[in-house]
Amino acid sequence: MRLLRIVPDNTKFDFMRFRRISFPLSALLSIIAIVLYFFHGLNFGIDFKGGTLMEVRETAGPADLAKMRATLGALGLGEVQLQQFGGPSEVLIRVAEQPGGDAAQQQAVTKVKAALGDQIQYRRVEVVGPRVSGELLSYGVIGLGLAILCILIYLWFRFEWQFALGAMIANVHDLVLTIGFMSMAQIDFDLTSIAALLTILGYSLNDTVVIYDRIREMLRRYKKMPMADLLNASVNQTLSRSVITHVTVTLALFALLLFGGQAIHSFTATMMFGVVLVGTYTSIFIAAPILIYLGVGTGRDALSAEPEPEIVNPNAIPARFVEDTPSDEVAETPAKRPGGKTSVTNKPKPKGRR
């Protein structure tokens, strides 16, 4: 039975040719993302702004989240988040902080209880102030920074310093563009967004390490191949894996974006942009070609006086880059004659004889 192949095995795309376009484009997008962060800001959620947290239970049966969301949305209390947890009748309600101090928060709790009726059991009611929410934001940023530092230390021991630096530049590029997207789209930035950023960081790093591992393997095998051709061959060899992985993740995230509800909307939207769009682009057009500018393979082009090879099959490296016996020497193969004597075949003819 013939296997389904989304990407052929013998691809020969010249990805390195676009590095003179991808680097200026990424630099421009990163500057725009930073400007959006400082001037437009992020749409902080209840976790980072403060508000009221209510844990309730529906006594009549499974909770109807759509009905409860519509009821609470008509109260005019600002942002209201509902999340189902535990059993089907348990709901976590987050109400945005109301202007007016503690009295306004208590009044909002009273309105919510009156709107939901008597069939709701209130297990926990807490008011999250600005100080607690500020601490959550600080801890989230510190956790993100520690994750980046630990990844850098791991890559430093796993690869050479150029590979570690290139991977970190690519990952920070992903985070900067994702935060810029969240600022532009005004997606809720809460604890689930921190989780999404950490997931994007790990996913992008995994894709980059796969390509870097193939590049390092080919650097050891082929000493004379020009660096641009070696990077193209490495990316083409891992292209099928990258495409299949990103397609499956895209389908799963798209289903969550459509049917996952409001509780995980910010998470899935951030993941769709960070993993599918930015992560795929960064692994191929940023992480791989940046090794050229970091000095990996310096002097390799000088070892080969011939023009750059045309790689028809990335798994079949051109013969002139394989360090074997010189081509002008012909192997001698012994062959047996009748009677037990041996003779040498394929023997080169002396010059001047016909």
Side-chain angles (χ1 to χ4, degrees):
M1 183 177 65
R2 188 175 180 180
L3 299 177
L4 174 65
R5 295 189 179 275
I6 300 178
V7 179
D9 291 333
N10 59 344
T11 56
K12 51 179 181 179
F13 299 112
D14 189 4
F15 294 107
M16 299 304 110
R17 182 181 62 180
F18 298 99
R19 67 180 184 271
R20 295 176 180 86
I21 300 175
S22 62
F23 279 91
L25 178 63
S26 295
L28 177 62
L29 292 177
S30 299
I31 293 173
I32 294 175
I34 294 173
V35 171
L36 284 173
Y37 172 76
F38 283 104
F39 291 95
H40 196 235
L42 294 173
N43 183 22
F44 291 105
I46 297 174
D47 296 330
F48 298 147
K49 287 191 307 184
T52 304
L53 180 67
M54 305 175 65
E55 182 180 332
V56 303
R57 181 177 182 273
E58 178 74 41
T59 58
D64 189 353
L65 289 182
K67 182 179 178 181
M68 294 176 65
R69 187 175 290 113
T71 302
L72 298 180
L75 298 178
L77 299 177
E79 181 185 2
V80 178
Q81 296 178 359
L82 281 80
Q83 180 180 358
Q84 191 173 36
F85 74 102
S89 60
E90 298 175 350
V91 181
L92 191 65
I93 302 175
R94 294 185 178 94
V95 181
E97 185 180 10
Q98 306 297 310
D102 293 338
Q105 314 306 321
Q106 296 299 329
Q107 186 178 2
V109 172
T110 304
K111 288 183 179 180
V112 170
K113 290 182 177 180
L116 294 180
D118 299 331
Q119 296 181 346
I120 301 296
Q121 179 184 358
Y122 297 90
R123 294 186 170 184
R124 184 179 55 160
V125 178
E126 295 180 357
V127 177
V128 181
R131 180 178 178 181
V132 176
S133 60
E135 290 179 355
L136 290 175
L137 179 60
S138 301
Y139 290 151
V141 174
I142 292 174
L144 192 60
L146 288 177
I148 295 176
L149 179 62
C150 293
I151 290 172
L152 178 61
I153 295 174
Y154 164 75
L155 290 176
W156 199 283
F157 288 97
R158 182 71 169 80
F159 297 97
E160 293 79 5
W161 70 268
Q162 295 97 330
F163 288 84
L165 183 58
M168 289 314 304
I169 292 175
N171 289 337
V172 172
H173 167 268
D174 290 346
L175 295 181
V176 169
L177 292 189
T178 304
I179 291 176
F181 165 75
M182 298 180 69
S183 176
M184 181 182 63
Q186 287 295 289
I187 297 176
D188 293 338
F189 190 82
D190 48 18
L191 290 177
T192 59
S193 301
I194 297 291
L197 291 177
L198 289 172
T199 307
I200 292 170
L201 185 66
Y203 193 93
S204 178
L205 176 68
N206 177 68
D207 203 18
T208 302
V209 166
V210 169
I211 298 177
Y212 276 4
D213 200 45
R214 183 58 58 89
I215 292 173
R216 185 176 60 174
E217 177 185 348
M218 296 189 67
L219 281 171
R220 294 173 178 174
R221 291 187 60 185
Y222 307 104
K223 305 294 184 181
K224 297 182 180 180
M225 181 182 293
M227 193 61 190
D229 294 329
L230 188 143
L231 294 178
N232 276 325
S234 301
V235 174
N236 277 283
Q237 289 181 21
T238 57
L239 187 62
S240 177
R241 175 260 174 204
S242 299
V243 170
I244 292 175
T245 304
H246 284 83
V247 167
T248 53
V249 172
T250 303
L251 294 176
L253 290 175
F254 190 68
L256 289 176
L257 187 64
L258 293 180
F259 308 108
Q262 187 66 27
I264 59 172
H265 180 267
S266 60
F267 177 83
T268 53
T270 305
M271 287 285 293
M272 282 285 289
F273 179 83
V275 171
V276 178
L277 298 178
V278 178
T280 308
Y281 160 79
T282 302
S283 299
I284 297 176
F285 294 102
I286 300 296
I290 202 174
L291 297 178
I292 299 177
Y293 299 103
L294 292 177
V296 178
T298 303
R300 296 176 65 91
D301 294 338
L303 297 177
S304 178
E306 304 178 22
E308 294 184 355
E310 179 183 357
I311 301 179
V312 178
N313 187 347
N315 297 317
I317 305 301
R320 64 186 181 85
F321 293 114
V322 182
E323 298 178 357
D324 283 333
T325 308
S327 57
D328 56 346
E329 295 181 8
V330 182
E332 297 181 353
T333 306
K336 284 190 176 183
R337 287 183 178 179
K341 297 182 179 181
T342 60
S343 62
V344 178
T345 60
N346 298 332
K347 192 172 184 180
K349 295 181 180 181
K351 294 183 180 180
R353 295 181 59 183
R354 298 183 179 177

